[in-house]
PDB file of all heavy atoms in Angstrom:
ATOM      1  N   LEU A  25      88.360  82.547  44.889  1.00  0.00           N
ATOM      2  CA  LEU A  25      88.485  81.082  44.847  1.00  0.00           C
ATOM      3  C   LEU A  25      89.406  80.575  45.924  1.00  0.00           C
ATOM      4  O   LEU A  25      89.476  79.368  46.203  1.00  0.00           O
ATOM      5  CB  LEU A  25      89.021  80.640  43.485  1.00  0.00           C
ATOM      6  CG  LEU A  25      88.096  80.852  42.283  1.00  0.00           C
ATOM      7  CD1 LEU A  25      88.795  80.441  41.027  1.00  0.00           C
ATOM      8  CD2 LEU A  25      86.815  80.018  42.455  1.00  0.00           C
ATOM      9  N   VAL A  26      90.183  81.487  46.567  1.00  0.00           N
ATOM     10  CA  VAL A  26      91.088  81.071  47.624  1.00  0.00           C
ATOM     11  C   VAL A  26      90.336  80.417  48.791  1.00  0.00           C
ATOM     12  O   VAL A  26      90.851  79.639  49.526  1.00  0.00           O
ATOM     13  CB  VAL A  26      91.913  82.255  48.102  1.00  0.00           C
ATOM     14  CG1 VAL A  26      91.093  83.205  48.930  1.00  0.00           C
ATOM     15  CG2 VAL A  26      93.151  81.784  48.871  1.00  0.00           C
ATOM     16  N   PHE A  27      89.035  80.808  48.911  1.00  0.00           N
ATOM     17  CA  PHE A  27      88.249  80.275  50.009  1.00  0.00           C
ATOM     18  C   PHE A  27      87.572  78.950  49.666  1.00  0.00           C
ATOM     19  O   PHE A  27      87.012  78.259  50.504  1.00  0.00           O
ATOM     20  CB  PHE A  27      87.183  81.279  50.445  1.00  0.00           C
ATOM     21  CG  PHE A  27      87.760  82.585  50.930  1.00  0.00           C
ATOM     22  CD1 PHE A  27      87.793  83.694  50.097  1.00  0.00           C
ATOM     23  CD2 PHE A  27      88.241  82.684  52.199  1.00  0.00           C
ATOM     24  CE1 PHE A  27      88.304  84.901  50.535  1.00  0.00           C
ATOM     25  CE2 PHE A  27      88.776  83.890  52.665  1.00  0.00           C
ATOM     26  CZ  PHE A  27      88.811  84.976  51.822  1.00  0.00           C
ATOM     27  N   VAL A  28      87.602  78.560  48.377  1.00  0.00           N
ATOM     28  CA  VAL A  28      86.833  77.417  47.914  1.00  0.00           C
ATOM     29  C   VAL A  28      87.326  76.070  48.455  1.00  0.00           C
ATOM     30  O   VAL A  28      86.514  75.266  48.927  1.00  0.00           O
ATOM     31  CB  VAL A  28      86.756  77.397  46.367  1.00  0.00           C
ATOM     32  CG1 VAL A  28      86.152  76.077  45.872  1.00  0.00           C
ATOM     33  CG2 VAL A  28      85.935  78.589  45.893  1.00  0.00           C
ATOM     34  N   PRO A  29      88.654  75.810  48.455  1.00  0.00           N
ATOM     35  CA  PRO A  29      89.074  74.455  48.905  1.00  0.00           C
ATOM     36  C   PRO A  29      88.595  74.126  50.305  1.00  0.00           C
ATOM     37  O   PRO A  29      88.072  73.025  50.541  1.00  0.00           O
ATOM     38  CB  PRO A  29      90.611  74.562  48.833  1.00  0.00           C
ATOM     39  CG  PRO A  29      90.867  75.585  47.809  1.00  0.00           C
ATOM     40  CD  PRO A  29      89.784  76.603  47.931  1.00  0.00           C
ATOM     41  N   ASN A  30      88.746  75.019  51.263  1.00  0.00           N
ATOM     42  CA  ASN A  30      88.299  74.740  52.628  1.00  0.00           C
ATOM     43  C   ASN A  30      86.781  74.603  52.691  1.00  0.00           C
ATOM     44  O   ASN A  30      86.237  73.829  53.451  1.00  0.00           O
ATOM     45  CB  ASN A  30      88.769  75.836  53.566  1.00  0.00           C
ATOM     46  CG  ASN A  30      90.226  75.628  53.962  1.00  0.00           C
ATOM     47  OD1 ASN A  30      90.619  74.526  54.234  1.00  0.00           O
ATOM     48  ND2 ASN A  30      90.997  76.676  53.973  1.00  0.00           N
ATOM     49  N   LEU A  31      86.079  75.422  51.872  1.00  0.00           N
ATOM     50  CA  LEU A  31      84.639  75.341  51.840  1.00  0.00           C
ATOM     51  C   LEU A  31      84.172  73.977  51.320  1.00  0.00           C
ATOM     52  O   LEU A  31      83.292  73.332  51.841  1.00  0.00           O
ATOM     53  CB  LEU A  31      84.056  76.468  50.969  1.00  0.00           C
ATOM     54  CG  LEU A  31      82.535  76.511  50.851  1.00  0.00           C
ATOM     55  CD1 LEU A  31      81.915  76.758  52.205  1.00  0.00           C
ATOM     56  CD2 LEU A  31      82.120  77.631  49.875  1.00  0.00           C
ATOM     57  N   LEU A  32      84.817  73.515  50.244  1.00  0.00           N
ATOM     58  CA  LEU A  32      84.501  72.224  49.699  1.00  0.00           C
ATOM     59  C   LEU A  32      84.784  71.096  50.689  1.00  0.00           C
ATOM     60  O   LEU A  32      84.024  70.124  50.774  1.00  0.00           O
ATOM     61  CB  LEU A  32      85.269  71.987  48.407  1.00  0.00           C
ATOM     62  CG  LEU A  32      84.789  72.738  47.165  1.00  0.00           C
ATOM     63  CD1 LEU A  32      85.674  72.442  45.988  1.00  0.00           C
ATOM     64  CD2 LEU A  32      83.353  72.391  46.838  1.00  0.00           C
ATOM     65  N   LEU A  33      85.863  71.241  51.434  1.00  0.00           N
ATOM     66  CA  LEU A  33      86.193  70.229  52.425  1.00  0.00           C
ATOM     67  C   LEU A  33      85.109  70.129  53.506  1.00  0.00           C
ATOM     68  O   LEU A  33      84.833  69.057  54.015  1.00  0.00           O
ATOM     69  CB  LEU A  33      87.565  70.497  53.070  1.00  0.00           C
ATOM     70  CG  LEU A  33      88.120  69.433  54.008  1.00  0.00           C
ATOM     71  CD1 LEU A  33      88.264  68.108  53.264  1.00  0.00           C
ATOM     72  CD2 LEU A  33      89.438  69.882  54.574  1.00  0.00           C
ATOM     73  N   LYS A  34      84.549  71.246  53.849  1.00  0.00           N
ATOM     74  CA  LYS A  34      83.468  71.275  54.858  1.00  0.00           C
ATOM     75  C   LYS A  34      82.189  70.672  54.268  1.00  0.00           C
ATOM     76  O   LYS A  34      81.493  69.871  54.928  1.00  0.00           O
ATOM     77  CB  LYS A  34      83.178  72.714  55.296  1.00  0.00           C
ATOM     78  CG  LYS A  34      84.320  73.352  56.106  1.00  0.00           C
ATOM     79  CD  LYS A  34      84.531  72.670  57.436  1.00  0.00           C
ATOM     80  CE  LYS A  34      85.614  73.397  58.235  1.00  0.00           C
ATOM     81  NZ  LYS A  34      85.895  72.658  59.479  1.00  0.00           N
ATOM     82  N   LEU A  35      81.876  71.049  53.014  1.00  0.00           N
ATOM     83  CA  LEU A  35      80.631  70.577  52.407  1.00  0.00           C
ATOM     84  C   LEU A  35      80.748  69.142  51.918  1.00  0.00           C
ATOM     85  O   LEU A  35      79.790  68.378  51.930  1.00  0.00           O
ATOM     86  CB  LEU A  35      80.252  71.496  51.242  1.00  0.00           C
ATOM     87  CG  LEU A  35      79.972  72.956  51.602  1.00  0.00           C
ATOM     88  CD1 LEU A  35      79.687  73.760  50.342  1.00  0.00           C
ATOM     89  CD2 LEU A  35      78.830  73.068  52.577  1.00  0.00           C
ATOM     90  N   LEU A  36      81.961  68.744  51.450  1.00  0.00           N
ATOM     91  CA  LEU A  36      82.189  67.415  50.917  1.00  0.00           C
ATOM     92  C   LEU A  36      83.323  66.737  51.657  1.00  0.00           C
ATOM     93  O   LEU A  36      84.421  66.586  51.106  1.00  0.00           O
ATOM     94  CB  LEU A  36      82.471  67.478  49.415  1.00  0.00           C
ATOM     95  CG  LEU A  36      81.423  68.203  48.548  1.00  0.00           C
ATOM     96  CD1 LEU A  36      81.947  68.382  47.166  1.00  0.00           C
ATOM     97  CD2 LEU A  36      80.108  67.419  48.541  1.00  0.00           C
ATOM     98  N   PRO A  37      83.117  66.345  52.906  1.00  0.00           N
ATOM     99  CA  PRO A  37      84.209  65.796  53.699  1.00  0.00           C
ATOM    100  C   PRO A  37      84.823  64.555  53.106  1.00  0.00           C
ATOM    101  O   PRO A  37      85.985  64.230  53.309  1.00  0.00           O
ATOM    102  CB  PRO A  37      83.557  65.504  55.079  1.00  0.00           C
ATOM    103  CG  PRO A  37      82.081  65.442  54.777  1.00  0.00           C
ATOM    104  CD  PRO A  37      81.834  66.371  53.641  1.00  0.00           C
ATOM    105  N   ASP A  38      84.044  63.798  52.293  1.00  0.00           N
ATOM    106  CA  ASP A  38      84.592  62.573  51.697  1.00  0.00           C
ATOM    107  C   ASP A  38      85.683  62.897  50.693  1.00  0.00           C
ATOM    108  O   ASP A  38      86.474  62.024  50.339  1.00  0.00           O
ATOM    109  CB  ASP A  38      83.480  61.784  50.997  1.00  0.00           C
ATOM    110  CG  ASP A  38      82.493  61.216  52.005  1.00  0.00           C
ATOM    111  OD1 ASP A  38      82.890  61.103  53.184  1.00  0.00           O
ATOM    112  OD2 ASP A  38      81.354  60.921  51.643  1.00  0.00           O
ATOM    113  N   MET A  39      85.712  64.151  50.204  1.00  0.00           N
ATOM    114  CA  MET A  39      86.716  64.506  49.223  1.00  0.00           C
ATOM    115  C   MET A  39      88.103  64.365  49.813  1.00  0.00           C
ATOM    116  O   MET A  39      89.076  64.078  49.112  1.00  0.00           O
ATOM    117  CB  MET A  39      86.494  65.950  48.744  1.00  0.00           C
ATOM    118  CG  MET A  39      87.522  66.413  47.706  1.00  0.00           C
ATOM    119  SD  MET A  39      87.187  68.101  47.156  1.00  0.00           S
ATOM    120  CE  MET A  39      85.680  67.875  46.262  1.00  0.00           C
ATOM    121  N   SER A  40      88.240  64.639  51.145  1.00  0.00           N
ATOM    122  CA  SER A  40      89.564  64.571  51.777  1.00  0.00           C
ATOM    123  C   SER A  40      90.116  63.124  51.735  1.00  0.00           C
ATOM    124  O   SER A  40      91.294  62.915  51.923  1.00  0.00           O
ATOM    125  CB  SER A  40      89.490  65.083  53.200  1.00  0.00           C
ATOM    126  OG  SER A  40      88.597  64.268  53.961  1.00  0.00           O
ATOM    127  N   ASP A  41      89.217  62.151  51.532  1.00  0.00           N
ATOM    128  CA  ASP A  41      89.702  60.779  51.447  1.00  0.00           C
ATOM    129  C   ASP A  41      90.535  60.557  50.186  1.00  0.00           C
ATOM    130  O   ASP A  41      91.420  59.694  50.161  1.00  0.00           O
ATOM    131  CB  ASP A  41      88.496  59.801  51.449  1.00  0.00           C
ATOM    132  CG  ASP A  41      87.763  59.855  52.783  1.00  0.00           C
ATOM    133  OD1 ASP A  41      88.385  60.269  53.753  1.00  0.00           O
ATOM    134  OD2 ASP A  41      86.560  59.492  52.795  1.00  0.00           O
ATOM    135  N   SER A  42      90.237  61.303  49.159  1.00  0.00           N
ATOM    136  CA  SER A  42      91.029  61.229  47.932  1.00  0.00           C
ATOM    137  C   SER A  42      92.084  62.346  47.980  1.00  0.00           C
ATOM    138  O   SER A  42      91.834  63.468  47.553  1.00  0.00           O
ATOM    139  CB  SER A  42      90.141  61.389  46.687  1.00  0.00           C
ATOM    140  OG  SER A  42      90.913  61.429  45.518  1.00  0.00           O
ATOM    141  N   LEU A  43      93.246  62.025  48.564  1.00  0.00           N
ATOM    142  CA  LEU A  43      94.236  63.050  48.775  1.00  0.00           C
ATOM    143  C   LEU A  43      94.704  63.704  47.507  1.00  0.00           C
ATOM    144  O   LEU A  43      94.932  64.909  47.460  1.00  0.00           O
ATOM    145  CB  LEU A  43      95.413  62.452  49.568  1.00  0.00           C
ATOM    146  CG  LEU A  43      95.125  62.031  51.007  1.00  0.00           C
ATOM    147  CD1 LEU A  43      96.367  61.433  51.611  1.00  0.00           C
ATOM    148  CD2 LEU A  43      94.635  63.227  51.834  1.00  0.00           C
ATOM    149  N   VAL A  44      94.894  62.898  46.490  1.00  0.00           N
ATOM    150  CA  VAL A  44      95.392  63.467  45.202  1.00  0.00           C
ATOM    151  C   VAL A  44      94.402  64.485  44.680  1.00  0.00           C
ATOM    152  O   VAL A  44      94.784  65.603  44.304  1.00  0.00           O
ATOM    153  CB  VAL A  44      95.616  62.313  44.167  1.00  0.00           C
ATOM    154  CG1 VAL A  44      95.992  62.929  42.822  1.00  0.00           C
ATOM    155  CG2 VAL A  44      96.672  61.355  44.669  1.00  0.00           C
ATOM    156  N   LEU A  45      93.106  64.120  44.632  1.00  0.00           N
ATOM    157  CA  LEU A  45      92.092  65.057  44.144  1.00  0.00           C
ATOM    158  C   LEU A  45      92.036  66.325  44.988  1.00  0.00           C
ATOM    159  O   LEU A  45      91.985  67.448  44.485  1.00  0.00           O
ATOM    160  CB  LEU A  45      90.722  64.359  44.132  1.00  0.00           C
ATOM    161  CG  LEU A  45      89.522  65.259  43.746  1.00  0.00           C
ATOM    162  CD1 LEU A  45      89.708  65.813  42.312  1.00  0.00           C
ATOM    163  CD2 LEU A  45      88.222  64.470  43.853  1.00  0.00           C
ATOM    164  N   PHE A  46      92.040  66.132  46.295  1.00  0.00           N
ATOM    165  CA  PHE A  46      91.917  67.281  47.195  1.00  0.00           C
ATOM    166  C   PHE A  46      93.101  68.227  47.065  1.00  0.00           C
ATOM    167  O   PHE A  46      92.955  69.417  46.936  1.00  0.00           O
ATOM    168  CB  PHE A  46      91.797  66.814  48.637  1.00  0.00           C
ATOM    169  CG  PHE A  46      91.794  67.963  49.622  1.00  0.00           C
ATOM    170  CD1 PHE A  46      90.723  68.831  49.686  1.00  0.00           C
ATOM    171  CD2 PHE A  46      92.888  68.187  50.455  1.00  0.00           C
ATOM    172  CE1 PHE A  46      90.708  69.874  50.599  1.00  0.00           C
ATOM    173  CE2 PHE A  46      92.908  69.241  51.322  1.00  0.00           C
ATOM    174  CZ  PHE A  46      91.799  70.089  51.402  1.00  0.00           C
ATOM    175  N   TYR A  47      94.322  67.650  47.048  1.00  0.00           N
ATOM    176  CA  TYR A  47      95.486  68.542  46.983  1.00  0.00           C
ATOM    177  C   TYR A  47      95.640  69.200  45.607  1.00  0.00           C
ATOM    178  O   TYR A  47      96.077  70.339  45.524  1.00  0.00           O
ATOM    179  CB  TYR A  47      96.770  67.748  47.339  1.00  0.00           C
ATOM    180  CG  TYR A  47      96.919  67.579  48.821  1.00  0.00           C
ATOM    181  CD1 TYR A  47      96.832  66.343  49.423  1.00  0.00           C
ATOM    182  CD2 TYR A  47      97.139  68.692  49.649  1.00  0.00           C
ATOM    183  CE1 TYR A  47      96.969  66.204  50.791  1.00  0.00           C
ATOM    184  CE2 TYR A  47      97.310  68.558  51.011  1.00  0.00           C
ATOM    185  CZ  TYR A  47      97.207  67.291  51.586  1.00  0.00           C
ATOM    186  OH  TYR A  47      97.322  67.155  52.941  1.00  0.00           O
TER     187      TYR A  47
END
Side-chain angles (χ1 to χ4, degrees):
L25 292 176
V26 73
F27 298 100
V28 170
N30 280 318
L31 180 62
L32 285 178
L33 186 58
K34 293 293 184 185
L35 298 177
L36 303 171
D38 292 338
M39 181 179 292
S40 61
D41 295 337
S42 176
L43 292 179
V44 175
L45 175 62
F46 174 71
Y47 281 113

